[in-house]
C-alpha cells in the first residue's frame, strides 16, 4: 500500500490564504485600511477578502494534485503581513514628504467643486476654512490673493543653503498611500512658530500669491492633535 | 511523515509569530498592542508604501484570476478557434488595441487573463496588443487622466494615441514570435492541476462549477502574488530611498527627462488609474516626458517584468521590454520636439 506523506505544500497554501483573509478582515473592521487606501476604494479589499474566502473554500473542498512550491515562495507571500505586524504603520509624515518632494502647484480638482469653491471664496467675509488641495488647485490666484483663511496641516522644516523655510503639508491620496502627494504651502515670517515643526497645527492668517506660488502669512498658529484621518482626497 | 526542512521551519516560525499577535490585533482593533520592532520613519514609510501597493493591486489580481478561472472553465477552446479561424489576425490587432474600452482591466489583472486566453488559443499578437493597450485605453484611466491634466489637454489626447501606436506596433511585430514566445502550456500553467504527474488521479478537470473556477483562481493568485509582492518591495524601497527632487536635474534636457520619467515609472509600479495624478505634479518636466511616464508605466514596470515570466520565454521578454522602451522613447521624443 502506498504511504501518504503530510501535504506540506497544501498546508502552506491554505495557511497563506487564511493569513491574508485574517489580515484583510482586521484592516477592514478596525478601519486601519484607511492608512493605506482611499476610503471610497474600500470595496476593493472587501471584494478581495470575499474572493480569497471563496478560494479557500474551493481549496478545502476540492482535493487536487498540485505542483510543489519552494517554501521561500510562501515566505515571500507573507512578507507584507510580517512588516505590517512588526512595524505598526502609521500615517505618512515628514520623512515620506521629504522623499516624495513637496508639491506646491499643479493639483487637479473637479471643475464643479472648483466653481463652487470660487463662489464661496468670493462671498467670504471673515476667515474662510480652506484646505491645501483647494488652495493649490485654484488657478484663479486673484480669488485667493489676500484671502483670510484658516487651515490645518503638518509643519515641516526645509533647509537650503541660505535659510530655513517652513511649510504646511498635507498628503493628497488619489488611490493609495503609495501615490499620495505631499501638498505644501510655505509659511512666511514664521520664526516665532518654529517650534511647531513636526507637529500638526491650525493656522489663521492671510494667503498671498508670490512668484514661487502661494504662501501664508500667519497671524495665529494653534497646535492640534493629528487628525484620525489626515489625508485629503 | 516527512520532517520539515530549514526553510520550512523558518516559515512556520514567521507564521507562528503572526498568529501569536492576531488575538491582540482583533481585541484592540488597533496597532497599539503590538510591540514595535522598528521605530525608524524610513521603515514606517516603507511599510505604508508596501502595504498600500499590495492592498491596492491584490484585489485586481484576484479579479483577474477569477476571470481567468471563468475562461478556463466556461470558454471552450473550440469557441475560440471558431472566432479566430477565418479572421485575418492583422485586422484584429487594431481592434485588440481598442478592446480595453469594452473590457477594461488594469495591468495587474490582465496578466492572468492573457495567460489563460493564450492557453485557449487566442492568437498571440492579438493577446499582446490587448495586454499592452488595455490598461491605458479604458474609460477609468481616460477619466482619471482627464481630471489630472485638465490644464494640459495635449497629454489627455496623446496618452491613448501613443499607447495605441506602441501597442499595435508591438502586436504586429510579435506575429513572428507566435510559436516561440509563449511558454509551453504545460510550463506556463505549471502551478495548476497536474493530476497525472502528481497524484495520478483523474478528477475535476472537466467539472464546470464555481469551485473549479475559484480553484483555478487560487492557482493564479499563488503564481502572480509572489511577483506582485517582490515588485511592491522594490517600489517601496525606491519610494523611500530615492528622493524625487533628485530627478529634477534631468528636467531641462528632453531626452534625459524622458529617460528619467520612464525609469521612474518602471520602478514605482503605480496603477494606471492613479499614475496620472502623480505625473501631473512633475511640473518642471516637459509634457513629452510626462506622456512617456504615462505610456510606458502601465506597459512595463518591475512587477510586470516578473509576471511576464509566468507567460513568456526570456528572449521574448527582452524583446518586449526593449521594444516598449525604444518605441515610447522615440515617439515621445519626436512629440516633444513638435510640441516645443
Amino acid at each position: 500500500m502506498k504511504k501518504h506523506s503530510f501535504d506540506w505544500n497544501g498546508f502552506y497554501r491554505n495557511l497563506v490564504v487564511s493569513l491574508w483573509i485574517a489580515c484583510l478582515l482586521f484592516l477592514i473592521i478596525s478601519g486601519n485600511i484607511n492608512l493605506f487606501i482611499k476610503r471610497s476604494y474600500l470595496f476593493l479589499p472587501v471584494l478581495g477578502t470575499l474572493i480569497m474566502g471563496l478560494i479557500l473554500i474551493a481549496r478545502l473542498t476540492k482535493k487536487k494534485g498540485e505542483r510543489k512550491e519552494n517554501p521561500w515562495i510562501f515566505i515571500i507571500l507573507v512578507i507584507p503581513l510580517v512588516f505590517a505586524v512588526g512595524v505598526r504603520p502609521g500615517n505618512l509624515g515628514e520623512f515620506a514628504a521629504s522623499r516624495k518632494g513637496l508639491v506646491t502647484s499643479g493639483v487637479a480638482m473637479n471643475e464643479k467643486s472648483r466653481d463652487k469653491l470660487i463662489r464661496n471664496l468670493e462671498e467670504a467675509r471673515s476667515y474662510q476654512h480652506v484646505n491645501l488641495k483647494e488652495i493649490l488647485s485654484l488657478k484663479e490666484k486673484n480669488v485667493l490673493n489676500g484671502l483670510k483663511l484658516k487651515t490645518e496641516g503638518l509643519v515641516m522644516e526645509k533647509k537650503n543653503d541660505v535659510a530655513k523655510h517652513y511649510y504646511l503639508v498635507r498628503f493628497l491620496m488619489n488611490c493609495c498611500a503609495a501615490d499620495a502627494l505631499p501638498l505644501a504651502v510655505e509659511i512666511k515670517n514664521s520664526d516665532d512658530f518654529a517650534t511647531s515643526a513636526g507637529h500638526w497645527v491650525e493656522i489663521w492668517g492671510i494667503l498671498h500669491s508670490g512668484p514661487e506660488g502661494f504662501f501664508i502669512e500667519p497671524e495665529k498658529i494653534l497646535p492640534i492633535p493629528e487628525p484620525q484621518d489626515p489625508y485629503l482626497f | 511523515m516527512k520532517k520539515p526542512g530549514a526553510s520550512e521551519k523558518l516559515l512556520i516560525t514567521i507564521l507562528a509569530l503572526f498568529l501569536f499577535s492576531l488575538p491582540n490585533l482583533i481585541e484592540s482593533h488597533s496597532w497599539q498592542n503590538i510591540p514595535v520592532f522598528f521605530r525608524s520613519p524610513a521603515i514606517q514609510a516603507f511599510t505604508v508604501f508596501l502595504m498600500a501597493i499590495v492592498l491596492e493591486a491584490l484585489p485586481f489580481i484576484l479579479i483577474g484570476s477569477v476571470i481567468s478561472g471563468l475562461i478556463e472553465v466556461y470558454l471552450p477552446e473550440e469557441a475560440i478557434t471558431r472566432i479566430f479561424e477565418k479572421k485575418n489576425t492583422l485586422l484584429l490587432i487594431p481592434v485588440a488595441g481598442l478592446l480595453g474600452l469594452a473590457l477594461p482591466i488594469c495591468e495587474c489583472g490582465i496578466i492572468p487573463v492573457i495567460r489563460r486566453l493564450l492557453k485557449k488559443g487566442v492568437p498571440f499578437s492579438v493577446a499582446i496588443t490587448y495586454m499592452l493597450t488595455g490598461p491605458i485605453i479604458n474609460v477609468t484611466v481616460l477619466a482619471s487622466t482627464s481630471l489630472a491634466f485638465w490644464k494640459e489637454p495635449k497629454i489627455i489626447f496623446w496618452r491613448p494615441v501613443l499607447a495605441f501606436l506602441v501597442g499595435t506596433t508591438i502586436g504586429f511585430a510579435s506575429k513572428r514570435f507566435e510559436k516561440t514566445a509563449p511558454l509551453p502550456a504545460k510550463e506556463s500553467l505549471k502551478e495548476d492541476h497536474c493530476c497525472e504527474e502528481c497524484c495520478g488521479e483523474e478528477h475535476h478537470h472537466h467539472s464546470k462549477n464555481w469551485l473549479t473556477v475559484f480553484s483555478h483562481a487560487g492557482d493564479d493568485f499563488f503564481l502572480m502574488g509572489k511577483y506582485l509582492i517582490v515588485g511592491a518591495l522594490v517600489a517601496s524601497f525606491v519610494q523611500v530611498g530615492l528622493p524625487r527632487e533628485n530627478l529634477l536635474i534631468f528636467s531641462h534636457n528632453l531626452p534625459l527627462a524622458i529617460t528619467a520619467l520612464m525609469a521612474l515609472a518602471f520602478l514605482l509600479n503605480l496603477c494606471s488609474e492613479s499614475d496620472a495624478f502623480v505625473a501631473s505634479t512633475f511640473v518642471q518636466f516637459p509634457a513629452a516626458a510626462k506622456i512617456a511616464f504615462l505610456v510606458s508605466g502601465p506597459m512595463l514596470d518591475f512587477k510586470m517584468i516578473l509576471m511576464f515570466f509566468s507567460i513568456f520565454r526570456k528572449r521574448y521578454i527582452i524583446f518586449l521590454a526593449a521594444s516598449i522602451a525604444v518605441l515610447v522613447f522615440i515617439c515621445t521624443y519626436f512629440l516633444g520636439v513638435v510640441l516645443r
Side-chain angles (χ1 to χ4, degrees), chain A residues 12-13 15 19 26 32 64 67 69 82 85-88 90 99-100 108 158 174-175 178-179 181, chain B residues 8 11 14-15 18 25 31-32 34 36-37 44 48 56 147 191 193 219 239-240 244-245 274 277:
Chain A
Y12 289 145
R13 283 184 179 229
L15 199 55
L19 288 175
F26 164 71
N32 280 324
K64 65 172 188 176
R67 183 189 156 85
E69 281 280 16
V82 173
V85 170
V87 177
R88 192 202 295 169
R99 291 293 150 167
K100 282 172 173 266
K158 211 179 160 196
N174 293 302
C175 288
D179 65 34
L181 300 166
Chain B
E8 289 173 336
L11 177 69
I14 292 171
L15 297 179
F18 184 75
L25 283 169
W31 304 104
Q32 300 312 313
I34 315 163
V36 179
F37 298 130
Q44 282 278 332
V48 175
E56 197 202 15
L147 180 59
E191 320 294 307
H193 320 290
D219 294 328
Q239 293 245 22
V240 169
R244 215 69 67 86
E245 283 174 356
S274 62
F277 295 102

Side-chain angles (χ1 to χ4, degrees), chain B residues 60-109:
Chain B
F60 288 108
I61 285 195
L62 288 166
I63 293 167
S65 303
V66 173
I67 296 173
S68 159
L70 287 168
I71 292 170
E72 175 63 28
V73 175
Y74 292 108
L75 190 66
E77 278 170 42
E78 305 81 66
I80 298 274
T81 314
R82 264 204 310 278
I83 293 170
F84 289 103
E85 71 184 345
K86 285 181 185 165
K87 303 235 172 22
N88 186 345
T89 316
L90 292 178
L91 292 176
L92 288 173
I93 289 174
V95 177
L98 299 172
L99 197 60
L101 292 169
L103 302 168
I105 192 158
C106 73
E107 70 269 24
C108 295

Side-chain angles (χ1 to χ4, degrees), chain A residues 7-221:
Chain A
D7 180 15
W8 282 104
N9 190 57
F11 169 73
Y12 289 145
R13 283 184 179 229
N14 292 341
L15 199 55
V16 166
V17 175
S18 307
L19 288 175
W20 270 103
I21 292 172
C23 176
L24 286 167
L25 278 177
F26 164 71
L27 289 173
I28 293 164
I29 293 166
S30 66
N32 280 324
I33 196 94
N34 293 339
L35 291 173
F36 310 112
I37 62 167
K38 196 174 176 176
R39 256 175 299 172
S40 55
Y41 281 44
L42 182 65
F43 70 95
L44 282 175
V46 171
L47 189 61
T49 314
L50 188 70
I51 295 174
M52 286 257 195
L54 292 169
I55 285 174
L56 186 64
I57 293 171
R59 288 193 51 74
L60 295 172
T61 315
K62 289 179 86 80
K63 179 75 189 159
K64 65 172 188 176
E66 284 169 331
R67 183 189 156 85
K68 271 202 170 176
E69 281 280 16
N70 184 328
W72 286 102
I73 299 298
F74 298 117
I75 293 175
I76 290 173
L77 285 165
V78 293
I79 284 176
L81 307 183
V82 173
F83 264 95
V85 170
V87 177
R88 192 202 295 169
N91 294 310
L92 293 176
E94 272 184 289
F95 178 84
S98 67
R99 291 293 150 167
K100 282 172 173 266
L102 301 181
V103 176
T104 55
S105 63
V107 177
M109 192 193 213
N110 174 296
E111 206 161 325
K112 268 188 184 171
S113 315
R114 209 171 56 239
D115 291 345
K116 193 178 162 195
L117 176 66
I118 291 171
R119 274 201 305 279
N120 286 346
L121 292 175
E122 282 170 343
E123 289 164 10
R125 298 205 192 288
S126 81
Y127 290 91
Q128 180 75 16
H129 183 267
V130 281
N131 63 41
L132 295 193
K133 180 187 174 187
E134 291 169 335
I135 293 172
L136 295 180
S137 60
L138 283 183
K139 61 176 178 182
E140 296 82 356
K141 292 184 180 177
N142 286 337
V143 182
L144 294 175
N145 205 3
L147 178 80
K148 285 185 163 184
L149 61 79
K150 66 169 179 173
T151 189
E152 59 285 306
L154 177 72
V155 179
M156 192 177 151
E157 185 185 308
K158 211 179 160 196
K159 290 174 199 159
N160 63 15
D161 299 339
V162 189
K164 279 182 188 171
H165 295 268
Y166 291 94
Y167 288 86
L168 194 67
V169 176
R170 281 197 81 170
F171 279 92
L172 172 70
M173 197 189 274
N174 293 302
C175 288
C176 68
D179 65 34
L181 300 166
L183 307 185
V185 172
E186 191 172 356
I187 315 166
K188 284 264 165 92
N189 307 322
S190 58
D191 288 346
D192 297 344
F193 309 111
T195 50
S196 301
H199 295 94
W200 275 78
V201 295
E202 183 177 79
I203 291 190
W204 299 60
I206 300 170
L207 188 69
H208 297 283
S209 167
E212 288 171 15
F214 289 114
F215 64 89
I216 300 172
E217 206 159 9
E219 293 171 352
K220 189 167 64 175
I221 298 187

